[in-house]
């Protein structure tokens, strides 16, 4: 697949101002490529750096180290006006549409803003274009003189997606696009994102803590933990047989309805809280919560390496030898299928 | 029956007529069960839960009956309800930071529940607060008792709130979206903890949520609410295996994304739930319902019995209406 967006060794360090100046590495060396027309899903708990990574990819914030290449061009050092042609081609959708749309602008103003920002003069073609965008996201017959607070969350997310599509981008980065929505609306937005991709062949980076949504929309999944990617591969491989003990715990925490109703089913419960990036453990970052952890895990940080079969990238000293069988079991148990082996 | 709700209506006073938010709902909660109220924003699920604890907004008008252990709770004097809250009915909310006092150590806040009910005071209350923190599996409870809410993690705050809700020994716990804002791993911890505490303390739990996954895991019986009314109510297995109300069926589809063919369109229902004051005529769900017919647009469907469940629908999913009998 032709690469569209490449993140290469991205590091982002924030300096904590309170409680004694301390550096917090929110993203600690992440490399990730998004192909043309591909959907990459980023999953992980709060504080794992997934949203920071999205903002870095969009160049809303600057990386401390590393390179960002968009369509063959290094855009790491591009700023201000020099970024405009690139911005036009990469757009964002956020979790809370009411917060991401200016509530004092009418829907018509919100949807013309991208054209104004990029100096595109449509004249008489503007209103039909706005109608077309709204109808594309399933909002035909919308009164465009209304303000955002007059719409529901699901409707606003459609409007936010219409705005993101206005300039026909090559990629949309969506940070928790369905998390704030009611369940019957989540499915609508998932459908819309899939429909848009089929119509326009655009790429997505979709960030979510909802593994069901990620598993459904993503071609490839990257699992983040404390600022690093710990497992990455085709969606079917990650969902069907996770190798990293952390990926396994995440999948086990959110099984299907059938599995949850099954009294035999038992999840892996991770003890402790999501880790704090201000306090990174030595060795493998996950070792304090890992039930397999041993000396090597406490001392040596495992590199993200390709698996022997080339099917995925994995950062675990013990994978796949000690983890693959359990991963297969979790993949099946999660779908409520009879367990092939014991955990 | 620990709780019986009959024809509960909750409305908001407006010039030109009250706005109905909850419209004549009835249900029973059995002792020791986990009863889940599921619904979307605006369904009235939280209002219903809060009214059981006497915490509906002051601007609301309620009618009907809420009987808890044979005593009527609705429109009781505040002082009486305050005595019951904590002592007999415990409450936990979605946002633990918002329900803990930021300038008061966690242990003192938990002990306060004992002092307020005259169950213990001084050092005895403080000691029992630490014990309660231990019971909700907080490591190093003595240290956490002296910490301020902002000094402990989100997951710990959630546990501290549960400790506060349970320390005075209530028999009914109302949990309003207790896992919604949490990471999946922490959500899993919380569900396990609630299940353990339910066993240890013989609790009846009313859980209010929009998360079908949570429902699947803990529910004995389910009340599905839509736009202020009961859509379907009954045994959780029966409802989840064969949802009869088209709205329940839609919720199930949304919750079963993991079983759908990847990257294919999901079977989603159209439209959005109506807001307060814009409930349609007839069945409130009819504008979004794939099975709606003329009668749905004009007549409110009564709650009828169908096997192990009761539902309010003129044309249930995959069944012949002629087989239905009045409940």
């Amino acid at each position: 697949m032709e690469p569209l967006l490449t993140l290469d060794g991205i590091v982002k360090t924030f300096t904590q101002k309170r409680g004694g100046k301390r550096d917090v590495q929110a993203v600690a060396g992440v490399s990730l490529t998004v192909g043309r027309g591909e959907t990459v899903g980023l999953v992980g708990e709060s504080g794992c750096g997934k949203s920071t990574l999205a903002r870095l990819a969009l160049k809303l914030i600057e990386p401390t180290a590393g390179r960002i290449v968009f369509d063959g061009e290094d855009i790491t050092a591009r700023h201000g006006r020099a970024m405009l042609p690139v911005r036009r081609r990469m757009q964002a959708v956020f979790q809370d549409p009411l917060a991401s749309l200016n509530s004092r602008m009418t829907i018509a103003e919100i949807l013309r803003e991208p054209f104004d920002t990029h100096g595109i003069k449509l004249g008489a073609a503007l209103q039909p274009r706005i109608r077309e965008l709204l109808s594309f996201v399933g909002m035909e017959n919308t009164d465009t003189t209304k303000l955002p607070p007059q719409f529901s969350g699901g409707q606003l997310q459609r409007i936010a997606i219409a705005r993101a599509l206005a300039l026909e981008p090559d990629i949309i980065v969506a940070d928790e696009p369905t998390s704030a929505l009611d369940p019957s609306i989540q499915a609508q937005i998932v459908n819309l994102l899939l429909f848009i991709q089929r119509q326009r062949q655009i790429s997505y980076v979709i960030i979510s803590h909802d593994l069901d949504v990620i598993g459904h929309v993503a071609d490839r999944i990257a699992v983040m933990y404390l600022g690093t990617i710990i497992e990455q591969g085709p969606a079917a491989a990650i969902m069907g047989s996770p190798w990293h003990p952390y990926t396994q715990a995440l999948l086990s925490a959110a099984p299907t309805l059938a599995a949850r109703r099954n009294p035999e089913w038992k999840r892996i419960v991770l003890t402790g809280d999501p880790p704090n990036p201000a306090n990174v453990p030595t060795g493998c970052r996950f070792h304090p919560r890992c039930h397999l952890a041993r000396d090597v895990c406490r001392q040596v940080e495992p590199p993200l390496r390709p698996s022997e079969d080339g099917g995925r990238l994995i950062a675990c000293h013990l994978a796949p030898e000690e983890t693959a069988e359990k991963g297969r079991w979790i993949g099946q148990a999660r779908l409520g299928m009879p367990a092939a082996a014991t955990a | 029956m620990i709780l019986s709700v009959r024809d509960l209506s909750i409305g908001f006073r407006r010039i030109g007529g009250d706005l109905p938010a909850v419209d004549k709902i009835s249900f029973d909660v059995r002792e020791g069960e986990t009863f889940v109220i599921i619904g979307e924003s605006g369904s009235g699920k939280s209002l219903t839960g809060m009214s059981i604890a006497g915490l509906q907004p002051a601007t609301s008008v309620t009618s009907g009956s809420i009987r808890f252990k044979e005593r009527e709770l609705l429109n009781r004097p505040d002082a009486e309800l305050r005595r019951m809250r904590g002592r007999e009915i415990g409450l936990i909310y979605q946002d633990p930071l918002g329900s803990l006092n930021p300038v008061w150590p966690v242990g003192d806040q938990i002990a306060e529940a004992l002092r307020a009910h005259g169950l213990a005071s001084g050092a005895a209350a403080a000691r029992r607060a630490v014990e309660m923190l231990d019971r909700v599996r907080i490591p190093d409870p003595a240290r956490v008792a002296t910490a301020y809410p902002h000094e402990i993690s989100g997951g710990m705050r959630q546990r501290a709130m549960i400790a506060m809700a349970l320390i005075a020994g209530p028999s009914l716990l109302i949990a309003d979206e207790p896992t919604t804002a949490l990471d999946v791993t922490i959500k899993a911890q919380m569900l396990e903890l609630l299940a353990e505490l339910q066993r240890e303390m013989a609790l009846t739990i009313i859980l209010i949520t929009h998360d079908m996954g949570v429902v699947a895991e803990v529910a004995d019986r389910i009340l599905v609410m839509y736009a202020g009314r009961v859509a379907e109510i009954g045994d959780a297995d029966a409802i989840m295996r064969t949802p009869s109300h088209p709205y329940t069926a839609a919720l199930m589809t949304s919750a079963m994304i993991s079983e759908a063919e990847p990257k294919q369109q999901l079977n989603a229902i159209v439209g959005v739930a109506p807001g307060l004051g814009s409930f349609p005529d007839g069945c409130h769900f009819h504008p979004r319902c794939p099975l709606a017919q003329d009668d749905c647009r004009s007549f409110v469907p009564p709650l009828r019995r169908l096997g192990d469940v009761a539902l309010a629908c003129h044309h249930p999913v995959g069944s012949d209406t002629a087989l239905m009998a009045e409940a």
Side-chain angles (χ1 to χ4, degrees):
Chain A
M1 196 176 291
E2 188 196 342
L4 178 67
L5 175 69
T6 303
L7 307 177
D8 183 14
I10 296 291
V11 173
K12 179 65 188 179
T13 306
F14 293 105
T15 303
Q16 219 173 26
K17 300 220 170 63
R18 283 187 311 172
K21 284 206 177 194
R22 242 193 327 178
D23 284 348
V24 176
Q25 212 171 51
V27 175
V30 164
S31 298
L32 186 69
T33 298
V34 186
R36 227 173 246 287
E38 186 187 34
T39 302
V40 172
L42 272 181
V43 295
E45 289 165 289
S46 331
C48 73
K50 57 191 194 300
S51 294
T52 305
L53 190 65
R55 288 161 67 209
L56 288 161
L58 289 161
K59 291 258 312 175
L60 298 176
I61 52 176
E62 298 296 323
T64 312
R67 242 163 35 105
I68 303 174
V69 179
F70 183 77
D71 202 10
E73 227 184 305
D74 190 328
I75 59 163
T76 323
R78 281 221 205 173
H79 299 286
R81 300 197 65 80
M83 258 310 282
L84 269 184
V86 181
R87 289 217 189 284
R88 195 179 153 165
R89 299 174 59 193
M90 51 203 301
Q91 292 289 324
V93 172
F94 298 99
Q95 175 170 359
D96 182 353
L98 191 55
S100 63
L101 299 173
N102 185 333
S103 55
R104 284 194 260 179
M105 283 167 76
T106 66
I107 301 309
E109 286 165 351
I110 285 168
L111 289 174
R112 73 170 288 173
E113 199 182 29
F115 301 109
D116 292 347
T117 305
H118 291 272
I120 298 163
K121 295 193 171 49
L122 290 178
L126 179 68
Q127 285 316 316
R129 179 76 182 119
I130 287 175
R131 283 273 147 228
E132 186 192 357
L133 282 168
L134 283 169
S135 116
F136 192 68
V137 298
M139 293 278 291
E140 47 281 287
N141 307 322
T142 301
D143 179 353
T144 56
T145 63
K146 281 190 177 174
L147 300 170
Q150 294 172 278
F151 293 90
S152 72
Q155 290 170 323
L156 288 177
Q157 198 58 297
R158 287 175 189 268
I159 291 165
I161 291 170
R163 181 180 63 171
L165 288 172
L167 303 169
E168 308 205 359
D170 296 311
I171 185 167
I172 290 182
V173 178
D175 192 353
E176 303 275 7
T178 63
S179 302
L181 305 173
D182 277 321
S184 74
I185 308 300
Q186 283 182 2
Q188 293 176 4
I189 297 298
V190 166
N191 282 348
L192 178 61
L193 292 172
L194 290 169
F195 167 78
I196 290 166
Q197 189 167 47
R198 210 164 302 135
Q199 295 290 312
R200 304 251 173 123
Q201 284 80 44
I202 65 172
S203 310
Y204 286 127
V205 174
I206 298 189
I207 295 154
S208 182
H209 66 264
D210 186 334
L211 285 149
D212 289 341
V213 168
I214 291 291
H216 189 69
V217 300
D219 299 300
R220 220 144 40 82
I221 295 176
V223 184
M224 285 189 73
Y225 192 80
L226 262 183
T228 61
I229 291 175
I230 51 104
E231 187 166 11
Q232 183 196 315
I238 303 293
M239 302 295 287
S241 61
W243 282 3
H244 198 287
Y246 178 63
T247 315
Q248 294 180 350
L250 273 185
L251 278 167
S252 166
T256 59
L257 299 186
R260 290 184 198 238
R261 290 304 289 170
N262 181 355
E264 310 265 298
W265 168 80
K266 190 91 182 82
R267 66 154 63 87
I268 304 170
V269 175
L270 279 184
T271 52
D273 295 312
N276 182 352
N279 187 10
V280 175
T282 57
C284 172
R285 290 161 184 251
F286 182 60
H287 89 253
R289 298 168 86 191
C290 182
H291 63 286
L292 293 176
R294 58 198 65 170
D295 281 347
V296 61
C297 309
R298 286 181 270 272
Q299 288 150 9
V300 184
E301 179 159 18
L304 187 67
R305 62 184 160 86
S307 62
E308 255 167 53
D309 61 10
R312 72 182 76 201
L313 298 173
I314 176 85
C316 172
H317 293 301
L318 310 173
E321 292 77 12
E322 294 185 41
T323 64
E325 191 181 340
K326 182 156 193 177
R328 259 195 313 280
W329 181 82
I330 286 168
Q332 286 176 0
R334 184 169 179 276
L335 294 176
M337 292 192 223
T342 48
Chain B
M1 230 51 81
I2 190 168
L3 184 81
S4 279
V5 175
R6 289 292 172 274
D7 293 324
L8 175 68
S9 291
I10 307 173
F12 291 94
R13 280 252 144 87
R14 288 286 185 286
I15 295 164
D18 292 351
L19 284 181
V22 172
D23 183 17
K24 284 196 177 162
I25 66 166
S26 299
F27 59 91
D28 292 323
V29 178
R30 299 172 188 159
E31 193 141 12
E33 75 174 346
T34 300
F35 184 84
V36 178
I37 306 179
I38 184 161
E40 299 181 65
S41 328
S43 64
K45 62 183 191 302
S46 288
L47 263 182
T48 302
M50 290 303 104
S51 67
I52 295 167
L55 290 175
Q56 66 273 34
T59 54
S60 64
V61 199
T62 50
S63 66
S65 156
I66 300 174
R67 291 186 75 80
F68 172 69
K69 294 184 172 169
E70 308 304 321
R71 274 170 301 165
E72 179 60 45
L73 295 188
L74 207 56
N75 301 322
R76 271 290 156 95
D78 278 350
E80 207 172 309
L81 289 168
R82 254 198 310 276
R83 270 198 298 278
M84 287 190 75
R85 278 198 294 273
R87 184 81 182 89
E88 299 188 63
I89 300 176
L91 280 157
I92 54 177
Y93 306 93
Q94 179 178 346
D95 171 20
L97 202 51
S99 31
L100 292 169
N101 186 330
V103 295
W104 216 10
V106 170
D108 286 354
Q109 297 189 50
I110 295 169
E112 176 62 18
L114 289 174
R115 296 190 196 107
H117 291 291
L119 297 171
S121 59
R127 197 175 53 245
R128 282 181 55 189
V130 174
E131 280 166 19
M132 198 63 218
L133 286 169
D134 187 47
R135 284 192 88 167
V136 296
R137 318 316 188 239
I138 286 188
D140 199 358
R143 186 189 59 80
V144 171
T146 62
Y148 290 93
H150 71 271
E151 295 176 320
I152 60 178
S153 70
M156 289 234 246
R157 282 197 287 264
Q158 198 87 17
R159 284 162 194 268
M161 189 169 54
I162 295 173
M164 190 156 66
L166 295 180
I167 192 160
S171 49
L172 175 65
L173 178 70
I174 302 174
D176 190 3
E177 303 270 13
T179 60
T180 301
L182 304 175
D183 276 312
V184 284
T185 52
I186 304 302
K187 191 190 282 195
Q189 289 176 6
M190 220 47 69
L191 290 176
E192 304 248 321
L193 175 65
L194 280 178
E196 286 166 19
L197 292 172
Q198 181 171 37
R199 271 195 305 276
E200 292 169 15
M201 307 177 77
L203 283 174
T204 304
I205 297 180
I206 297 178
L207 185 78
I208 299 160
T209 183
H210 65 245
D211 184 337
M212 246 326 177
V214 172
V215 178
E217 194 160 329
V218 302
D220 293 312
R221 288 189 314 126
I222 307 177
L223 163 59
V224 184
M225 285 188 74
Y226 187 82
R229 291 191 187 140
V230 175
E232 186 164 6
I233 180 170
D235 176 69
D237 282 316
I239 288 181
M240 302 200 77
R241 208 178 311 115
T242 49
S244 303
H245 197 289
Y247 175 63
T248 319
L251 279 183
M252 291 293 293
T253 308
S254 295
M256 284 163 64
I257 294 182
S258 50
E259 279 151 79
E261 188 67 26
K263 305 213 77 164
Q264 297 306 306
Q265 293 279 306
L266 302 166
N267 196 5
I269 43 168
V270 298
V272 296
L276 211 59
S278 53
F279 293 164
D281 286 340
C283 171
H284 283 173
F285 186 59
H286 87 254
R288 303 176 73 191
C289 183
L291 304 177
Q293 297 179 28
D294 279 346
D295 49 352
C296 309
R297 289 179 259 279
S298 318
F299 302 106
V300 178
L303 198 64
R304 300 155 188 255
R305 185 151 292 282
L306 180 70
D308 290 333
V309 304
L311 76 157
C313 177
H314 294 302
H315 306 286
V317 178
S319 74
D320 182 356
T321 44
L323 293 176
M324 301 215 313
E326 291 284 338

